[in-house]
Amino acid sequence: MKSDIVGWDIGGAHIKAAVINAAGEVLAIYQEPCPLWKGMDQLRQAVGTILQKLTHTTHVHAVTMTGELVDLFEHRDDGVQQIIAALKALLTDGEMLVFAGQQGLLKAGQVEPQHYQAIASANWLASATFAAEQVGNGLFVDIGSTTTDILLLNEGRVDAQGYTDYQRLISQELIYTGIVRTAVMAVAQTALDNGKDIGIMAEYFATMADVYRVTGELNEDHDQTDTADGAEKTAVASARRLSRMIGCDFSPDDMRRWQQFAHNIRSRQLLTLQRGCERQLSRVRASGHPPLVGAGVGRFLVKQLALNLGHSYLDFSDLLPSPAVQTGITAADCAPAVALACLARALC
């Protein structure tokens, strides 16, 4: 194989791309905001920005997606069809492959309407399949900006109970919560403030990016989304947004109060994720404590989950043959794109 491989993860809010060489070494990681619900021009602009950064003229492109879910499209099949058509027109410097879940990678020209359901929202399977091949047994946990995937890995395979989003929401292998875009009101209905349990307003006043900015755990490179009020991304501004969730005016002198409030919201999200992990770990057939493999921009929470559950922690980046590119966005942050590139490499 002479060409580098670019793995593309086409989301509804971000586009992620990972470039690897013939040795499987990660050469570059890219992420661009892409509010796809605003129109296909957002996709073309984000992909175009990344293409301008690629250093070589010929690539193999491997594509997975979740962007077909946005309400720009009439239904998922429509979204898959439009996204593939747009990418065919953009990725003209080499062969394009499309990930069809359990059916594997298909040449773009081979994709038919009967493949659309398998293509839709299959990025999690690319990540978990690569992780399973590397570790054998474990629990793969990818906490992103919007969602969390929790997959049991068994003897080198992904032991999934569901494959569609609907099925995975039932099995809790997909939990719709993340560390950036998720609204605070979607995480908890009550929280502790000054020792009292208080109801949280069902208003889009703050997001989990505000929570993790106030706790000091948010990498600002991971937040490419507008704030709830359109104001600045500072700890003080985030604390002000959190204060609105319980009907309070904000004073900078009360910063400690809002730090405690943020930590309480954090603990409630973590409990939801821990219950999801416990549900999957209860299915482990063999004795022992398989590692938790952490991926995504929220994998610092996977470390906490591993500690809480008494399991070891393994970072997704450690599964790669060489250290990931340590810029603002890393390989573990964009696990589906990296994993897909690695899976495509085995076929090229």
Side-chain angles (χ1 to χ4, degrees), residues 35-55:
L36 187 54
W37 60 89
K38 294 183 179 180
M40 289 296 288
D41 60 313
Q42 299 290 328
L43 173 65
R44 288 186 282 268
Q45 179 179 332
V47 172
T49 298
I50 292 174
L51 287 174
Q52 290 176 1
K53 299 176 182 179
L54 299 183
T55 56

PDB file of all heavy atoms in Angstrom, residues 35-55:
ATOM      1  N   PRO A  35     -22.337  21.880  11.959  1.00  0.00           N
ATOM      2  CA  PRO A  35     -23.761  21.832  12.344  1.00  0.00           C
ATOM      3  C   PRO A  35     -24.612  21.437  11.136  1.00  0.00           C
ATOM      4  O   PRO A  35     -25.218  22.284  10.480  1.00  0.00           O
ATOM      5  CB  PRO A  35     -24.035  23.259  12.823  1.00  0.00           C
ATOM      6  CG  PRO A  35     -23.042  24.107  12.100  1.00  0.00           C
ATOM      7  CD  PRO A  35     -21.821  23.249  11.919  1.00  0.00           C
ATOM      8  N   LEU A  36     -24.642  20.160  10.869  1.00  0.00           N
ATOM      9  CA  LEU A  36     -25.194  19.651   9.615  1.00  0.00           C
ATOM     10  C   LEU A  36     -26.684  19.954   9.466  1.00  0.00           C
ATOM     11  O   LEU A  36     -27.195  20.021   8.343  1.00  0.00           O
ATOM     12  CB  LEU A  36     -24.929  18.138   9.524  1.00  0.00           C
ATOM     13  CG  LEU A  36     -25.279  17.413   8.231  1.00  0.00           C
ATOM     14  CD1 LEU A  36     -24.635  18.066   7.028  1.00  0.00           C
ATOM     15  CD2 LEU A  36     -24.865  15.945   8.328  1.00  0.00           C
ATOM     16  N   TRP A  37     -27.381  20.136  10.589  1.00  0.00           N
ATOM     17  CA  TRP A  37     -28.801  20.435  10.513  1.00  0.00           C
ATOM     18  C   TRP A  37     -29.069  21.761   9.788  1.00  0.00           C
ATOM     19  O   TRP A  37     -30.183  22.020   9.360  1.00  0.00           O
ATOM     20  CB  TRP A  37     -29.410  20.463  11.915  1.00  0.00           C
ATOM     21  CG  TRP A  37     -28.796  21.486  12.836  1.00  0.00           C
ATOM     22  CD1 TRP A  37     -29.179  22.781  12.995  1.00  0.00           C
ATOM     23  CD2 TRP A  37     -27.674  21.286  13.706  1.00  0.00           C
ATOM     24  NE1 TRP A  37     -28.378  23.420  13.924  1.00  0.00           N
ATOM     25  CE2 TRP A  37     -27.447  22.516  14.384  1.00  0.00           C
ATOM     26  CE3 TRP A  37     -26.854  20.196  14.001  1.00  0.00           C
ATOM     27  CZ2 TRP A  37     -26.425  22.691  15.304  1.00  0.00           C
ATOM     28  CZ3 TRP A  37     -25.846  20.374  14.940  1.00  0.00           C
ATOM     29  CH2 TRP A  37     -25.625  21.596  15.582  1.00  0.00           C
ATOM     30  N   LYS A  38     -28.023  22.578   9.640  1.00  0.00           N
ATOM     31  CA  LYS A  38     -28.176  23.869   8.965  1.00  0.00           C
ATOM     32  C   LYS A  38     -28.086  23.753   7.445  1.00  0.00           C
ATOM     33  O   LYS A  38     -28.399  24.717   6.738  1.00  0.00           O
ATOM     34  CB  LYS A  38     -27.118  24.851   9.459  1.00  0.00           C
ATOM     35  CG  LYS A  38     -27.266  25.237  10.925  1.00  0.00           C
ATOM     36  CD  LYS A  38     -26.221  26.257  11.322  1.00  0.00           C
ATOM     37  CE  LYS A  38     -26.363  26.679  12.771  1.00  0.00           C
ATOM     38  NZ  LYS A  38     -25.330  27.694  13.155  1.00  0.00           N
ATOM     39  N   GLY A  39     -27.632  22.590   6.945  1.00  0.00           N
ATOM     40  CA  GLY A  39     -27.562  22.434   5.499  1.00  0.00           C
ATOM     41  C   GLY A  39     -26.323  21.689   5.052  1.00  0.00           C
ATOM     42  O   GLY A  39     -25.316  21.612   5.774  1.00  0.00           O
ATOM     43  N   MET A  40     -26.362  21.130   3.849  1.00  0.00           N
ATOM     44  CA  MET A  40     -25.255  20.342   3.322  1.00  0.00           C
ATOM     45  C   MET A  40     -24.021  21.192   3.050  1.00  0.00           C
ATOM     46  O   MET A  40     -22.914  20.667   2.945  1.00  0.00           O
ATOM     47  CB  MET A  40     -25.690  19.632   2.039  1.00  0.00           C
ATOM     48  CG  MET A  40     -26.678  18.495   2.260  1.00  0.00           C
ATOM     49  SD  MET A  40     -25.972  17.134   3.242  1.00  0.00           S
ATOM     50  CE  MET A  40     -24.832  16.433   2.055  1.00  0.00           C
ATOM     51  N   ASP A  41     -24.207  22.500   2.923  1.00  0.00           N
ATOM     52  CA  ASP A  41     -23.044  23.358   2.740  1.00  0.00           C
ATOM     53  C   ASP A  41     -22.104  23.301   3.934  1.00  0.00           C
ATOM     54  O   ASP A  41     -20.894  23.492   3.794  1.00  0.00           O
ATOM     55  CB  ASP A  41     -23.481  24.801   2.494  1.00  0.00           C
ATOM     56  CG  ASP A  41     -24.287  25.370   3.646  1.00  0.00           C
ATOM     57  OD1 ASP A  41     -25.214  24.687   4.126  1.00  0.00           O
ATOM     58  OD2 ASP A  41     -23.993  26.503   4.083  1.00  0.00           O
ATOM     59  N   GLN A  42     -22.649  22.996   5.120  1.00  0.00           N
ATOM     60  CA  GLN A  42     -21.820  22.849   6.319  1.00  0.00           C
ATOM     61  C   GLN A  42     -20.873  21.651   6.173  1.00  0.00           C
ATOM     62  O   GLN A  42     -19.707  21.713   6.549  1.00  0.00           O
ATOM     63  CB  GLN A  42     -22.701  22.666   7.562  1.00  0.00           C
ATOM     64  CG  GLN A  42     -23.637  23.824   7.847  1.00  0.00           C
ATOM     65  CD  GLN A  42     -22.912  25.062   8.310  1.00  0.00           C
ATOM     66  OE1 GLN A  42     -21.862  24.978   8.966  1.00  0.00           O
ATOM     67  NE2 GLN A  42     -23.451  26.236   7.991  1.00  0.00           N
ATOM     68  N   LEU A  43     -21.390  20.570   5.613  1.00  0.00           N
ATOM     69  CA  LEU A  43     -20.575  19.382   5.365  1.00  0.00           C
ATOM     70  C   LEU A  43     -19.488  19.680   4.352  1.00  0.00           C
ATOM     71  O   LEU A  43     -18.307  19.351   4.564  1.00  0.00           O
ATOM     72  CB  LEU A  43     -21.464  18.240   4.862  1.00  0.00           C
ATOM     73  CG  LEU A  43     -20.756  16.965   4.398  1.00  0.00           C
ATOM     74  CD1 LEU A  43     -20.048  16.282   5.550  1.00  0.00           C
ATOM     75  CD2 LEU A  43     -21.740  16.013   3.743  1.00  0.00           C
ATOM     76  N   ARG A  44     -19.862  20.292   3.263  1.00  0.00           N
ATOM     77  CA  ARG A  44     -18.877  20.583   2.220  1.00  0.00           C
ATOM     78  C   ARG A  44     -17.784  21.525   2.734  1.00  0.00           C
ATOM     79  O   ARG A  44     -16.604  21.361   2.393  1.00  0.00           O
ATOM     80  CB  ARG A  44     -19.596  21.178   0.994  1.00  0.00           C
ATOM     81  CG  ARG A  44     -20.413  20.148   0.218  1.00  0.00           C
ATOM     82  CD  ARG A  44     -20.990  20.732  -1.055  1.00  0.00           C
ATOM     83  NE  ARG A  44     -22.164  21.550  -0.775  1.00  0.00           N
ATOM     84  CZ  ARG A  44     -23.410  21.082  -0.784  1.00  0.00           C
ATOM     85  NH1 ARG A  44     -23.638  19.797  -1.044  1.00  0.00           N
ATOM     86  NH2 ARG A  44     -24.431  21.876  -0.551  1.00  0.00           N
ATOM     87  N   GLN A  45     -18.170  22.486   3.541  1.00  0.00           N
ATOM     88  CA  GLN A  45     -17.190  23.425   4.076  1.00  0.00           C
ATOM     89  C   GLN A  45     -16.232  22.744   5.040  1.00  0.00           C
ATOM     90  O   GLN A  45     -15.011  22.940   4.965  1.00  0.00           O
ATOM     91  CB  GLN A  45     -17.903  24.582   4.783  1.00  0.00           C
ATOM     92  CG  GLN A  45     -16.957  25.605   5.395  1.00  0.00           C
ATOM     93  CD  GLN A  45     -17.712  26.753   6.058  1.00  0.00           C
ATOM     94  OE1 GLN A  45     -18.822  27.093   5.668  1.00  0.00           O
ATOM     95  NE2 GLN A  45     -17.109  27.356   7.062  1.00  0.00           N
ATOM     96  N   ALA A  46     -16.755  21.920   5.945  1.00  0.00           N
ATOM     97  CA  ALA A  46     -15.913  21.256   6.944  1.00  0.00           C
ATOM     98  C   ALA A  46     -14.963  20.261   6.287  1.00  0.00           C
ATOM     99  O   ALA A  46     -13.766  20.214   6.611  1.00  0.00           O
ATOM    100  CB  ALA A  46     -16.784  20.560   7.985  1.00  0.00           C
ATOM    101  N   VAL A  47     -15.483  19.451   5.363  1.00  0.00           N
ATOM    102  CA  VAL A  47     -14.625  18.481   4.668  1.00  0.00           C
ATOM    103  C   VAL A  47     -13.586  19.222   3.830  1.00  0.00           C
ATOM    104  O   VAL A  47     -12.404  18.842   3.805  1.00  0.00           O
ATOM    105  CB  VAL A  47     -15.472  17.543   3.789  1.00  0.00           C
ATOM    106  CG1 VAL A  47     -14.569  16.671   2.912  1.00  0.00           C
ATOM    107  CG2 VAL A  47     -16.358  16.656   4.649  1.00  0.00           C
ATOM    108  N   GLY A  48     -13.983  20.277   3.177  1.00  0.00           N
ATOM    109  CA  GLY A  48     -13.049  21.058   2.368  1.00  0.00           C
ATOM    110  C   GLY A  48     -11.922  21.638   3.192  1.00  0.00           C
ATOM    111  O   GLY A  48     -10.759  21.656   2.752  1.00  0.00           O
ATOM    112  N   THR A  49     -12.243  22.102   4.392  1.00  0.00           N
ATOM    113  CA  THR A  49     -11.209  22.648   5.278  1.00  0.00           C
ATOM    114  C   THR A  49     -10.179  21.592   5.635  1.00  0.00           C
ATOM    115  O   THR A  49      -8.968  21.850   5.636  1.00  0.00           O
ATOM    116  CB  THR A  49     -11.856  23.207   6.560  1.00  0.00           C
ATOM    117  OG1 THR A  49     -12.742  24.278   6.214  1.00  0.00           O
ATOM    118  CG2 THR A  49     -10.796  23.722   7.524  1.00  0.00           C
ATOM    119  N   ILE A  50     -10.649  20.378   5.917  1.00  0.00           N
ATOM    120  CA  ILE A  50      -9.725  19.289   6.255  1.00  0.00           C
ATOM    121  C   ILE A  50      -8.908  18.877   5.035  1.00  0.00           C
ATOM    122  O   ILE A  50      -7.691  18.653   5.132  1.00  0.00           O
ATOM    123  CB  ILE A  50     -10.500  18.091   6.835  1.00  0.00           C
ATOM    124  CG1 ILE A  50     -11.090  18.464   8.198  1.00  0.00           C
ATOM    125  CG2 ILE A  50      -9.586  16.865   6.969  1.00  0.00           C
ATOM    126  CD1 ILE A  50     -12.004  17.406   8.799  1.00  0.00           C
ATOM    127  N   LEU A  51      -9.539  18.789   3.881  1.00  0.00           N
ATOM    128  CA  LEU A  51      -8.818  18.388   2.668  1.00  0.00           C
ATOM    129  C   LEU A  51      -7.670  19.344   2.355  1.00  0.00           C
ATOM    130  O   LEU A  51      -6.619  18.919   1.863  1.00  0.00           O
ATOM    131  CB  LEU A  51      -9.779  18.326   1.482  1.00  0.00           C
ATOM    132  CG  LEU A  51     -10.766  17.152   1.470  1.00  0.00           C
ATOM    133  CD1 LEU A  51     -11.747  17.296   0.309  1.00  0.00           C
ATOM    134  CD2 LEU A  51     -10.026  15.816   1.376  1.00  0.00           C
ATOM    135  N   GLN A  52      -7.849  20.605   2.649  1.00  0.00           N
ATOM    136  CA  GLN A  52      -6.794  21.585   2.394  1.00  0.00           C
ATOM    137  C   GLN A  52      -5.562  21.337   3.265  1.00  0.00           C
ATOM    138  O   GLN A  52      -4.457  21.769   2.923  1.00  0.00           O
ATOM    139  CB  GLN A  52      -7.326  22.999   2.640  1.00  0.00           C
ATOM    140  CG  GLN A  52      -8.331  23.466   1.614  1.00  0.00           C
ATOM    141  CD  GLN A  52      -8.908  24.837   1.941  1.00  0.00           C
ATOM    142  OE1 GLN A  52      -8.550  25.454   2.937  1.00  0.00           O
ATOM    143  NE2 GLN A  52      -9.808  25.312   1.099  1.00  0.00           N
ATOM    144  N   LYS A  53      -5.742  20.611   4.363  1.00  0.00           N
ATOM    145  CA  LYS A  53      -4.641  20.360   5.293  1.00  0.00           C
ATOM    146  C   LYS A  53      -3.886  19.069   4.980  1.00  0.00           C
ATOM    147  O   LYS A  53      -2.807  18.840   5.526  1.00  0.00           O
ATOM    148  CB  LYS A  53      -5.173  20.307   6.732  1.00  0.00           C
ATOM    149  CG  LYS A  53      -5.826  21.605   7.192  1.00  0.00           C
ATOM    150  CD  LYS A  53      -6.418  21.446   8.591  1.00  0.00           C
ATOM    151  CE  LYS A  53      -7.121  22.720   9.031  1.00  0.00           C
ATOM    152  NZ  LYS A  53      -7.734  22.589  10.378  1.00  0.00           N
ATOM    153  N   LEU A  54      -4.458  18.222   4.134  1.00  0.00           N
ATOM    154  CA  LEU A  54      -3.801  16.954   3.813  1.00  0.00           C
ATOM    155  C   LEU A  54      -2.564  17.216   2.957  1.00  0.00           C
ATOM    156  O   LEU A  54      -2.592  18.045   2.052  1.00  0.00           O
ATOM    157  CB  LEU A  54      -4.769  16.027   3.081  1.00  0.00           C
ATOM    158  CG  LEU A  54      -6.031  15.625   3.846  1.00  0.00           C
ATOM    159  CD1 LEU A  54      -6.854  14.648   3.023  1.00  0.00           C
ATOM    160  CD2 LEU A  54      -5.684  15.014   5.201  1.00  0.00           C
ATOM    161  N   THR A  55      -1.506  16.472   3.256  1.00  0.00           N
ATOM    162  CA  THR A  55      -0.214  16.765   2.635  1.00  0.00           C
ATOM    163  C   THR A  55       0.034  16.008   1.336  1.00  0.00           C
ATOM    164  O   THR A  55       0.842  16.423   0.528  1.00  0.00           O
ATOM    165  CB  THR A  55       0.924  16.456   3.618  1.00  0.00           C
ATOM    166  OG1 THR A  55       0.811  15.085   4.041  1.00  0.00           O
ATOM    167  CG2 THR A  55       0.832  17.365   4.830  1.00  0.00           C
TER     168      THR A  55
END
